[in-house]
Amino acid sequence: LPSYTAKAANQETIFTYGESLTQPQLKETERLLNVPEKAKALPVYIKELNGLLQDTYPYSQVYSSTLITPTSNKGKVTVEILTPKTITAITPLQYENAALTAGATNVNIKVASAVEVDGSGALAGVYKAFQDSGKALNKEAVIVAQDELRTASNITKDNKNKPGYSDEALNAAIADMKTQIQQTKAKNGGSIDGNTIQLIVNNVINNYHLDQQLSPENIQQLQNLMHRFSQIELTEEQKKAISHFGKTLADKSGKLVDSAKSAWNNMDAKDKEGIMNFFRELWVSFKNLINSFLK
């Protein structure tokens, strides 16, 4: 483990770094994150990953690191990945959504890794930073946050090349689902049934035009996730932050949909007809194939 002198514990900015970093890698990570002199340093050890992430995965390394700066911004969490080529499985929006579910609020988070990793060590660092500051996050909420991170990451991986799909739209939809579930619980004395959760999930998927992109398995994953999410209790600050996050993303994803509509509306008539003919021919071929099996 590289040697690093931890600064005074009363400093606000926290730098979390992976145990597996070599000394040169640590220095490079500090440079990438632009770690200030006043930052408190917290190493994240392999042996504590399961406890921090509330899972049983057999971790053998931890490289991803974070710079966490407290803010006062209506509970908002912002995430910037400074090394997107080495964080392979998790997007900034997935980090933000999961961090809010786990209970992190009012922080700016920068993420970097010296080597190619999935990025889970960075979120472990966020959890450890809150723990170190005396604001340990609820364990059940962390479990759901990790489940959310895996679900969103897997769904984006499954659909990233599909026309009309975007990670932005998915994360806006997830935030919207969480907001509606919390609002429904508030109106019903803190309870919500499975049928209502399923209805919320399906309606949101349709509203965000994801019904044509997501597979039945993807939709079932989201329904399972929301069932688990409905069982945790959030603070008022978390509820507001999740709602704000969802509205911001909904606006962005709405613009993406509008731009797609605009592109279609402005398309040359010949190009439109060519596209429509392609789909007509595809449908005829599909029907012929089905008929051949039925004969």
Side-chain angles (χ1 to χ4, degrees), residues 13 26 46 54 65 70 74 93 105-106 109 112 114 117-118 124 134-135 172 178 209 235-236 256:
T13 300
L26 174 59
I46 297 168
Q54 296 297 308
S65 306
K74 299 180 181 179
L93 296 180
T105 54
N106 290 312
I109 304 169
V117 292
D118 66 356
K135 301 176 183 177
K178 291 191 291 189
H209 307 283
T235 65
E236 288 303 314
L256 288 174

Side-chain angles (χ1 to χ4, degrees), residues 125-223:
V126 173
Y127 298 159
K128 184 169 182 176
F130 272 81
Q131 187 180 83
D132 184 78
S133 64
K135 301 176 183 177
L137 305 178
N138 180 282
K139 288 185 177 181
E140 291 303 316
V142 170
I143 291 172
V144 175
Q146 289 304 111
D147 187 20
E148 180 181 318
L149 202 59
R150 284 189 292 269
T151 299
S153 180
N154 289 337
I155 291 176
T156 288
K157 185 178 179 181
D158 288 345
N159 299 280
K160 63 181 179 181
N161 294 321
K162 286 187 180 179
Y165 179 83
S166 76
D167 185 66
E168 248 178 10
L170 175 67
N171 278 278
I174 288 174
D176 199 344
M177 291 172 194
K178 291 191 291 189
T179 299
Q180 290 191 38
I181 287 171
Q182 286 302 315
Q183 289 173 343
T184 303
K185 285 177 64 178
K187 292 177 183 177
N188 292 283
S191 65
I192 185 171
D193 61 47
N195 289 334
T196 303
I197 292 171
Q198 185 172 339
L199 185 63
I200 288 172
V201 170
N202 291 337
N203 285 342
V204 170
I205 286 172
N206 292 335
N207 290 342
Y208 284 83
H209 307 283
L210 291 168
D211 50 309
Q212 298 301 312
Q213 281 81 37
L214 302 186
S215 68
E217 290 78 15
N218 292 155
I219 295 171
Q220 186 62 57
Q221 288 172 333
L222 288 171
Q223 289 173 352

Side-chain angles (χ1 to χ4, degrees), residues 206-264:
N206 292 335
N207 290 342
Y208 284 83
H209 307 283
L210 291 168
D211 50 309
Q212 298 301 312
Q213 281 81 37
L214 302 186
S215 68
E217 290 78 15
N218 292 155
I219 295 171
Q220 186 62 57
Q221 288 172 333
L222 288 171
Q223 289 173 352
N224 293 342
L225 172 65
M226 290 304 139
H227 275 284
R228 287 186 283 272
F229 175 80
S230 71
Q231 296 169 0
I232 62 175
E233 295 301 323
L234 304 181
T235 65
E236 288 303 314
E237 191 173 42
Q238 278 178 281
K239 293 175 186 177
K240 290 177 182 177
I242 289 171
S243 178
H244 181 269
F245 178 66
K247 287 176 181 176
T248 301
L249 285 184
D251 180 58
K252 288 182 180 179
S253 61
K255 289 177 181 176
L256 288 174
V257 171
D258 289 342
S259 66
K261 290 178 180 175
S262 176
W264 172 260

Side-chain angles (χ1 to χ4, degrees), residues 4-9 39-43:
Y4 193 99
T5 304
K7 309 299 190 296
K40 178 181 180 181
L42 284 179

Side-chain angles (χ1 to χ4, degrees), residues 9-26:
N10 61 356
Q11 298 295 338
E12 289 187 322
T13 300
I14 296 178
F15 168 49
T16 71
Y17 62 96
E19 173 187 9
S20 303
L21 291 168
T22 64
Q23 190 69 42
Q25 288 172 338
L26 174 59

